[in-house]
């Protein structure tokens, strides 16, 4: 079937408008962060930071504890995601490749765990951490974030493991590999996109987490960046330049990671959606 | 956000991949322990970091625990008192109905618009598809606290760009409109924010899923003279039914639990009118220091969430069983 000229123009025009709508808030965050204050507080919006300035970023970085909390965020996120990848990979292999008693129940456990409403469990978590005398420590945060990430890491990797043909592993074993060697040499490389995808989304979850750190790590310098951003906004609420600079600093690592990995990770999942 | 993608991925990959059912393992007694050993760390972590807070939550919900009891480490049992109080309060039921309606509205918007967007992606040429995909990925990757902050700026009453645009489109009464002043307008901002962040996931994954549909099916439908709508209902939708089920389920969970978006926009205000169940539990428990009451609300919240998702959980488990 041939498409008429109008039939080709409409989808493209709609797509162009939608692309603008979706990208605009992200653009506006960065643009505002670079604009001098008189351009931000103008009656008509200044669409591009022609008189760009770094002063808002200086304000943001100079705000109390920025570097400390950024370090905390990186540490907690990396350790939590790393742990959940190792633990999740072991579990996913068992679920995808082995048949055993209680498999259904265990699967259900992880599926329910994945829906765990952490947002409403902050009270009991606060009590537990307080009783253990670990308030304002990074240790409980790391472990709770690890578990927030673990169920979906495990369930997703299960899909990737199942998609690797069993014959590959078997033929490696016929060639004299042990089961573990076959896994490390044959299966693991094929799982690389899956590992990247899951770790990417793990990073986002842990980097983003807000309610728990809000309750557990109140002491100055004890929290992570989401807490810093929310406090920064309370403090600098009317200074939109500085607030947008702070939001940019917080969002940038994830945006870069996502754009950098999307071809491997998301591209793998959505088979070509972002490959164009 | 993350939870959604991964779960759906876990669901899509085995279906599109070759993962056949593994044959039953024969004999080898020592090997029988292998799956349990491999799963042990994950199960242990789940029991400690999820099971324990859940149990503790349940126990707390039967206690009278406020600031005084907390500081003096008193344990004051209250039996079903907290539940009676919560279930008897009008506020709880109002918040529950509000949460369910809020979830339903958002999920319907996300699924309908996300599907349209995904089908649009499938119709585009390479360059335009890449452009739109990059824009979608940007919205998707924005951390929710940062996105919420940006939306507050977009909807700022005085210098917000949204009010400026509405004013210049001829809607002059919107020039200084205070979006967080009323319940409905605050919910509007929250909904736009949540839908903006959720659409990319549905659209990109739907587009990817449509590429797995055999072309012959479309050709056959066209030969029979089916129009766009008919093709969607007779080919695309039936073929992608599992995808739609899984995605809807994930969106229900995600929207229901939405916390930073609602909390950071206006702390559940004005006048607590935009509190959903998670915010309500938080405000009662942590904000007003009624920990026992907060715990009871939180248990009830979990029950509501389970009720909303029970159907899907049952269905998936059944499929999982058939696949083995």
């Amino acid at each position: 079937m041939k498409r008429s000229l109008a039939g080709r123009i409409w989808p493209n025009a709609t797509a162009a408008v939608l692309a603008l709508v979706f990208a605009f808030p992200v653009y506006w965050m960065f643009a505002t962060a670079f604009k001098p204050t008189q351009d931000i507080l103008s009656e008509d919006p200044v669409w591009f930071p022609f008189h760009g300035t770094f002063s808002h970023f200086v304000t943001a970085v100079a705000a109390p504890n920025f570097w400390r909390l950024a370090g905390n965020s990186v540490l907690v996120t990396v350790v939590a995601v790393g742990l959940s990848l190792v633990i999740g990979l072991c579990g996913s292999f068992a679920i995808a490749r082995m048949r055993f008693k209680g498999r259904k129940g265990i699967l259900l456990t992880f599926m329910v765990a994945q829906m765990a409403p952490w947002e409403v469990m902050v009270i009991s978590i606060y009590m537990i951490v307080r009783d253990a005398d670990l308030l304002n420590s990074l240790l409980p945060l790391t472990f709770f974030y690890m578990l927030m990430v673990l169920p979906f890491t495990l369930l997703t990797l299960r899909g990737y493991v199942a998609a690797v043909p069993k014959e590959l592993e078997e033929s490696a074993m016929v060639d004299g590999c042990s089961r573990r060697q076959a896994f490390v040499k044959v299966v693991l490389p094929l799982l690389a996109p899956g590992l990247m995808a899951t770790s990417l989304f793990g990073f986002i979850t842990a980097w983003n987490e807000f309610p728990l750190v809000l309750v557990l790590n109140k002491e100055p310098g004890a929290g992570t960046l989401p807490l810093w951003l929310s406090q920064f906004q309370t403090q600098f609420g009317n200074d939109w330049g500085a607030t947008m600079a702070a939001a940019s600093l917080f969002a940038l690592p994830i945006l870069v990671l996502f754009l950098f990995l999307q071809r491997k990770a998301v591209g793998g999942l959505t088979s070509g959606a972002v490959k164009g | 956000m993350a939870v959604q993608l991964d779960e759906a991925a876990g669901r899509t990959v085995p279906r599109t991949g070759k993962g056949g059912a593994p044959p039953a393992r024969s004999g080898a007694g020592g090997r029988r322990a292998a799956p349990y050993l491999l799963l042990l760390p994950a199960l242990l972590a789940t029991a400690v970091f999820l099971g324990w807070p859940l149990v503790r939550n349940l126990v707390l919900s039967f206690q009278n625990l406020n600031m005084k009891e907390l500081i003096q480490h008193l344990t004051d049992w209250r039996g079903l008192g907290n539940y009676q109080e919560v279930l008897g309060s009008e506020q709880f039921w109002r918040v529950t109905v509000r949460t369910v309606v809020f979830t339903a509205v958002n999920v319907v918007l996300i699924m309908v618009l996300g599907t349209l967007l995904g089908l649009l992606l499938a119709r585009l040429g390479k360059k335009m598809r890449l452009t739109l995909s990059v824009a979608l990925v940007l919205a998707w990757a924005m951390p929710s606290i940062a996105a919420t902050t940006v939306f507050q700026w977009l909807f700022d009453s005085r210098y917000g760009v949204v009010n400026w645009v509405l004013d210049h489109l001829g809607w002059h009464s919107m020039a200084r409109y205070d979006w967080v002043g009323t319940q409905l307008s605050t919910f509007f901002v929250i909904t736009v924010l949540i839908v903006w962040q959720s659409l990319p996931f549905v659209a990109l994954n739907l587009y990817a899923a449509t590429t797995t549909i055999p072309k012959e099916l479309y050709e056959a439908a066209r030969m029979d003279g089916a129009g766009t709508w008919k093709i969607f209902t007779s080919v695309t939708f039936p073929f992608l039914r599992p995808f739609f089920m899984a995605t809807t389920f994930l969106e229900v969970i995600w929207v229901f639990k939405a916390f930073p978006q609602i909390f950071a926009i206006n702390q559940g205000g004005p006048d607590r009118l935009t509190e959903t169940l998670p915010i309500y539990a938080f405000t009662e428990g942590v904000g007003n220091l009624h920990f026992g009451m907060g715990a009871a609300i939180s248990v009830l919240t979990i029950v509501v969430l389970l009720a909303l998702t029970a159907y899907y959980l049952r269905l998936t488990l059944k499929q999982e069983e058939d696949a083995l």
Side-chain angles (χ1 to χ4, degrees), chain A residues 12 22 32 44-45 101 103 107 114-116 120 124 130-131 144 152 156 158 162 201 205 208 233 269-270 273, chain B residues 2 5-7 19 36 49 53 56 70 73 128 133 141 143-144 152-153 164 196 205 208 257 298 309 320 324:
Chain A
N12 281 310
F22 275 94
T32 307
D44 289 311
K101 251 195 194 139
R103 185 180 173 282
L107 199 62
Q114 130 134 334
M115 341 177 343
V120 298
S124 56
R130 187 189 77 121
D131 294 347
F144 281 111
F152 70 71
T156 311
R158 170 192 65 147
F201 302 112
T205 308
N208 249 329
Q233 209 202 345
L269 292 180
T270 59
Chain B
L5 176 82
D6 287 293
E7 178 54 16
Y36 300 107
F49 297 107
R56 188 72 203 260
L70 183 74
H73 287 268
M128 204 28 118
S133 299
S144 44
Q152 282 176 291
W153 166 224
W164 183 88
W196 175 75
N205 279 295
K257 296 199 305 178
S298 127
T309 50
E320 196 69 40
L324 264 185

Side-chain angles (χ1 to χ4, degrees), chain A residues 59-128:
Chain A
T59 312
V61 169
N65 292 316
F66 170 76
W67 293 109
R68 176 95 190 264
L69 297 196
N72 288 354
S73 261
V74 171
L75 186 70
V76 168
T77 305
V78 170
V79 176
V81 174
L83 275 177
S84 85
L85 274 186
V86 175
I87 296 178
L89 187 60
C90 293
S92 68
F93 191 76
I95 295 230
R97 283 289 161 86
M98 298 171 182
R99 195 177 190 179
F100 52 93
K101 251 195 194 139
R103 185 180 173 282
K104 193 175 166 183
I106 289 174
L107 199 62
L108 180 69
T109 308
F110 289 119
M111 282 169 67
V112 174
Q114 130 134 334
M115 341 177 343
W118 297 100
E119 293 80 359
V120 298
M121 285 171 23
V122 286
I123 299 163
S124 56
I125 293 176
Y126 172 79
M127 296 295 162
I128 289 170

Side-chain angles (χ1 to χ4, degrees), chain A residues 1 3 7 11-12 14-16 18-19 21-26 28-29 32 40-45 47 87 90-91 93-101 103-104 106-128 130-131 143-144 146-147 150 152 154-156 158-160 162-163 166 179 197-198 201 204-205 208 210-211 214-215 226 229 233 240 243-244 247 250-251 254-255 258-259 262-263 266 269-274 276, chain B residues 1-3 5-7 9-11 13-14 17-19 22-25 31 34-36 38-39 41-43 45-46 49-50 52-54 56-57 60 65 70 73 117 120 123-126 128-146 149-154 156 158-159 161 164 168 176 196 199-200 204-205 207-208 211 222 249-250 253 257 259-260 263 278 281-282 285-286 291 294-295 298 301-302 305-306 309 313 316-317 320-321 324:
Chain A
M1 262 222 266
R3 280 192 187 147
N12 281 310
T14 317
L18 287 173
V21 168
F22 275 94
F24 186 76
V26 183
W28 205 234
M29 172 181 77
T32 307
I40 296 172
L41 303 181
S42 85
E43 284 303 318
D44 289 311
W47 298 105
I87 296 178
C90 293
F93 191 76
I95 295 230
R97 283 289 161 86
M98 298 171 182
R99 195 177 190 179
F100 52 93
K101 251 195 194 139
R103 185 180 173 282
K104 193 175 166 183
I106 289 174
L107 199 62
L108 180 69
T109 308
F110 289 119
M111 282 169 67
V112 174
Q114 130 134 334
M115 341 177 343
W118 297 100
E119 293 80 359
V120 298
M121 285 171 23
V122 286
I123 299 163
S124 56
I125 293 176
Y126 172 79
M127 296 295 162
I128 289 170
R130 187 189 77 121
D131 294 347
F143 281 114
F144 281 111
M146 192 261 303
L147 194 73
L150 179 65
F152 70 71
L154 193 149
L155 291 171
T156 311
R158 170 192 65 147
Y160 281 95
K166 214 175 156 56
R179 182 153 198 165
T198 41
F201 302 112
I204 295 182
T205 308
N208 249 329
F210 179 61
L214 176 69
V215 174
L229 182 54
Q233 209 202 345
W240 282 112
T243 307
M244 287 302 108
F250 174 64
I254 295 292
L255 287 175
F258 216 110
L259 284 175
Q262 55 147 334
R263 271 157 197 270
V266 188
L269 292 180
T270 59
S271 54
V274 280
Chain B
M1 174 165 70
V3 179
L5 176 82
D6 287 293
E7 178 54 16
R11 239 148 271 296
V13 175
K18 280 196 198 170
R25 308 264 262 107
R31 287 252 172 119
Y36 300 107
L38 285 170
L39 279 161
L43 287 171
T46 309
F49 297 107
L50 181 60
W52 188 14
L54 275 174
R56 188 72 203 260
N57 205 15
L60 276 175
L65 184 64
L70 183 74
H73 287 268
L117 200 53
L120 175 68
R123 280 193 66 176
L124 293 173
K126 269 191 180 176
M128 204 28 118
R129 186 187 302 147
L130 182 67
T131 312
L132 184 53
S133 299
V134 169
L136 290 174
V137 166
L138 281 176
W140 186 3
M142 270 291 267
S144 44
I145 281 275
T149 313
V150 174
F151 268 65
Q152 282 176 291
W153 166 224
L154 291 170
D156 182 58
R158 181 123 190 241
Y159 299 108
V161 73
W164 183 88
H168 282 247
R176 292 284 164 91
W196 175 75
L199 282 185
L204 289 170
N205 279 295
Y207 163 65
T211 59
R222 263 191 222 110
F249 163 77
L250 290 165
I253 296 177
K257 296 199 305 178
F259 186 90
F263 190 79
F282 185 88
V286 183
F291 301 103
S298 127
T301 305
I302 295 171
L305 184 60
L306 279 175
T309 50
L313 276 180
T316 319
L317 268 184
E320 196 69 40
E321 193 72 348
L324 264 185

Side-chain angles (χ1 to χ4, degrees), chain A residues 131-147:
Chain A
D131 294 347
D133 209 9
L134 284 169
L135 287 176
N136 298 308
S137 148
L138 292 181
L139 202 65
L141 278 190
T142 309
F143 281 114
F144 281 111
Y145 290 1
M146 192 261 303
L147 194 73

Side-chain angles (χ1 to χ4, degrees), chain B residues 21-272:
Chain B
R25 308 264 262 107
S26 51
R31 287 252 172 119
R32 254 186 227 152
Y36 300 107
L37 283 176
L38 285 170
L39 279 161
L40 190 67
L43 287 171
L44 214 61
T46 309
V48 172
F49 297 107
L50 181 60
W52 188 14
L54 275 174
V55 171
R56 188 72 203 260
N57 205 15
L58 197 64
V59 171
L60 276 175
S61 71
F62 297 113
Q63 290 178 356
N64 179 28
L65 184 64
N66 301 317
M67 205 56 201
K68 181 181 142 222
E69 289 82 7
L70 183 74
I71 290 172
Q72 300 178 1
H73 287 268
L74 294 173
T75 310
D76 179 13
W77 295 97
R78 230 197 137 185
L80 290 169
N82 289 332
Y83 288 97
Q84 275 165 353
E85 203 177 323
V86 174
L87 292 170
S89 81
E90 222 181 298
Q91 179 74 354
F92 172 77
W93 294 106
R94 220 178 293 136
V95 175
T96 305
V97 171
R98 184 189 297 152
T99 311
V100 172
V101 172
F102 169 76
T103 307
V105 168
N106 274 280
V107 171
V108 168
L109 281 174
I110 291 166
M111 289 311 297
V112 172
L113 297 177
T115 304
L116 289 174
L117 200 53
L119 295 175
L120 175 68
L121 276 173
R123 280 193 66 176
L124 293 173
K126 269 191 180 176
K127 273 186 196 153
M128 204 28 118
R129 186 187 302 147
L130 182 67
T131 312
L132 184 53
S133 299
V134 169
L136 290 174
V137 166
L138 281 176
W140 186 3
M142 270 291 267
S144 44
I145 281 275
T148 311
T149 313
V150 174
F151 268 65
Q152 282 176 291
W153 166 224
L154 291 170
F155 284 90
D156 182 58
S157 70
R158 181 123 190 241
Y159 299 108
V161 73
V162 173
N163 282 356
W164 183 88
V165 168
L166 291 173
D167 182 22
H168 282 247
L169 285 176
W171 201 347
H172 300 300
S173 60
M174 300 303 282
R176 292 284 164 91
Y177 189 71
D178 177 18
W179 288 93
V180 292
T182 73
Q183 180 187 31
L184 223 56
S185 59
T186 310
F187 264 129
F188 178 80
V189 177
I190 296 167
T191 302
V192 173
L193 168 60
I194 287 181
V195 170
W196 175 75
Q197 281 213 285
S198 318
L199 282 185
F201 166 76
V202 179
L204 289 170
N205 279 295
L206 180 90
Y207 163 65
T210 57
T211 59
T212 65
I213 301 177
K215 287 217 167 51
E216 297 78 40
L217 287 179
Y218 282 117
E219 275 158 23
R222 263 191 222 110
M223 297 268 269
D224 293 343
T228 314
W229 173 249
K230 186 82 185 140
I231 288 179
F232 179 76
T233 53
S234 65
V235 180
T236 315
F237 186 77
F239 199 87
L240 298 182
R241 188 187 294 273
F243 168 84
F244 283 105
M245 293 287 296
T247 314
T248 309
F249 163 77
L250 290 165
E251 294 295 345
V252 167
I253 296 177
W254 189 63
V255 174
F256 183 92
K257 296 199 305 178
F259 186 90
Q261 295 92 337
I262 302 176
F263 190 79
I265 285 274
N266 201 9
Q267 271 86 42
D271 298 327
R272 306 187 63 176

